[in-house]
Amino acid sequence: MKYCSHCGAEVEVRVPEGDNRPRHVCIICSTVHYQNPKIVVGCIPVWEQQILLCRRAIEPRYGLWTVPAGFMENGETSQQGAARETLEEACARVEVEGLYTLFNLPHINQVYLLFRSRLLDLDFAAGEESLEVKLFDEQEIPWEKLAFPVIKESLRLYYADRETGKYPLRSGTIIRAAGSARSYRIILDPS
Amino acid sequence: MKYCSHCGAEVEVRVPEGDNRPRHVCIICSTVHYQNPKIVVGCIPVWEQQILLCRRAIEPRYGLWTVPAGFMENGETSQQGAARETLEEACARVEVEGLYTLFNLPHINQVYLLFRSRLLDLDFAAGEESLEVKLFDEQEIPWEKLAFPVIKESLRLYYADRETGKYPLRSGTIIRAAGSARSYRIILDPS
């Protein structure tokens, strides 16, 4: 951020009065431009014993598999956002059930909210951001070709909980290891 | 938003190619400026049978009572944010426990995440944004002087669940009724 979106003047980085951390502040109109984490909402779409995954047609992680998920939009609920992403990426209709995982990704300022959901019919297809969309049995999940650690961990937890048939909220934090772009540590909160 | 924060030129509102909703787009450098919901994180700080509330020293809802909560910051986890807000507003140290309520507030583009938490000591005090900070027994809660519907509903749920000693995640949506700034409808998700 270099310019004030309100008046067009330059911004500087300083701690505003009464605040305790540096912000982008306009040098003319003094508007403070806050930057906050974004919410990624998504579904784990289930059909009988299978889960619907999408193969990404966009960067990052082009060609790898994920659950339907994306940035929550203004004016919607997190559940509506999760259903919308599932419709956009997998052309699939779901009944969104309970929140299943909450993961903090502080290195990229994101919070993931993934909901269990029930696929309503088998009339799905690849949306614009997907190369293909497919139902997987547990033993078919492409564990080494999943796009993001948060997805891999959420699916791992899901299959562990499926053994008991109970799905309490699972939460935790994904930490990117220093010095490497592709090495992560996962800390689960006590449940 | 009137100007591009990247290059300082004017922005227009249009649907970018490959997108499906209007965004602020720079007329010169074509940067798309997305606007997304913000996360409010907070604690329900518990000491034995009592809950710690803060009386607001800032607008909106100056003088009314709330739990410690505020906008989540970049670089922190939601639990760290909840603990930070509790320290800033109530000068209180807590052990953050499980996520207890998730409320969508789509009319103001916010998602509330309130965590149960255990107050670690009685050494609390009013922070800069609070007029006073006080422990309340259930029968002392100032129900008619709570600052926000999301807080009132979260405390109502908390006391109902306390009867059973179990605190599953409670989630729902607060909808502002048309035509009135201060009338709300609360829709709870099935649990």
Side-chain angles (χ1 to χ4, degrees), chain B residues 1 12 37 50 56 103 109 111 131 150:
Chain B
M1 164 163 245
E12 60 181 354
Q50 297 182 299
R56 290 172 64 82
F103 273 105
N109 305 315
V111 174
L131 296 169
V150 61

Side-chain angles (χ1 to χ4, degrees), chain A residues 1-8 18 20-21 23 34-39 71-79 84 88 99 102 104 106 109 111 113 128 169 171 173 189, chain B residues 1-8 18 20-21 23 34-39 71-79 84 88 99 102 104 106 109 111 113 128 169 171 173 189:
Chain A
M1 165 161 243
K2 294 181 207 156
Y3 300 94
C4 176
S5 55
H6 183 65
C7 80
N20 53 23
R21 61 185 68 202
R23 314 279 183 187
Y34 297 95
Q35 294 178 336
N36 301 89
K38 287 188 198 296
I39 303 169
F71 289 116
M72 183 175 167
E73 298 279 4
N74 280 353
E76 68 185 6
T77 69
S78 44
Q79 290 87 345
R84 175 185 51 72
E88 287 177 5
L99 179 67
L102 180 162
N104 303 289
N109 305 315
V111 175
L113 301 177
E128 279 191 18
L169 174 71
S171 72
T173 298
D189 301 324
Chain B
M1 164 163 245
K2 295 181 207 157
Y3 299 94
C4 175
S5 56
H6 184 65
C7 80
N20 54 23
R21 61 184 70 202
R23 313 280 184 186
Y34 297 95
Q35 294 178 336
N36 301 90
K38 287 188 197 295
I39 303 169
F71 289 116
M72 184 175 167
E73 298 278 5
N74 280 353
E76 67 184 6
T77 69
S78 44
Q79 290 88 344
R84 176 185 50 70
E88 288 177 5
L99 179 66
L102 180 163
N104 304 288
N109 305 315
V111 174
L113 302 176
E128 279 190 18
L169 175 70
S171 72
T173 297
D189 302 325

Side-chain angles (χ1 to χ4, degrees), chain A residues 76-126:
Chain A
E76 68 185 6
T77 69
S78 44
Q79 290 87 345
Q80 287 167 345
R84 175 185 51 72
E85 288 290 340
T86 306
L87 186 62
E88 287 177 5
E89 298 186 353
C91 305
R93 285 143 301 281
V94 287
E95 180 190 335
V96 177
E97 301 177 319
L99 179 67
Y100 179 55
T101 56
L102 180 162
F103 273 106
N104 303 289
L105 282 65
H107 58 288
I108 48 173
N109 305 315
Q110 292 179 0
V111 175
Y112 264 72
L113 301 177
L114 295 183
F115 293 83
R116 289 187 302 118
S117 71
R118 200 169 60 81
L119 199 57
L120 293 180
D121 57 64
L122 290 175
D123 186 22
F124 56 80

Side-chain angles (χ1 to χ4, degrees), chain B residues 73-129:
Chain B
E73 298 278 5
N74 280 353
E76 67 184 6
T77 69
S78 44
Q79 290 88 344
Q80 287 167 345
R84 176 185 50 70
E85 289 289 340
T86 306
L87 186 61
E88 288 177 5
E89 299 187 352
C91 305
R93 285 143 301 282
V94 288
E95 180 189 335
V96 177
E97 301 177 318
L99 179 66
Y100 179 56
T101 56
L102 180 163
F103 273 105
N104 304 288
L105 282 65
H107 58 288
I108 48 173
N109 305 315
Q110 293 179 1
V111 174
Y112 264 72
L113 302 176
L114 296 184
F115 294 83
R116 287 186 303 118
S117 71
R118 200 169 59 81
L119 199 57
L120 294 179
D121 56 64
L122 290 176
D123 186 22
F124 55 79
E128 279 190 18
E129 298 184 355

Side-chain angles (χ1 to χ4, degrees), chain A residues 44-84:
Chain A
I44 299 177
V46 176
W47 177 270
E48 294 171 358
Q49 293 297 302
Q50 298 182 300
I51 287 179
L52 192 70
L53 297 182
C54 308
R55 197 152 76 86
R56 290 173 64 83
I58 52 171
E59 294 292 350
R61 317 301 275 144
Y62 179 99
L64 299 186
W65 292 89
T66 187
V67 298
F71 289 116
M72 183 175 167
E73 298 279 4
N74 280 353
E76 68 185 6
T77 69
S78 44
Q79 290 87 345
Q80 287 167 345
R84 175 185 51 72

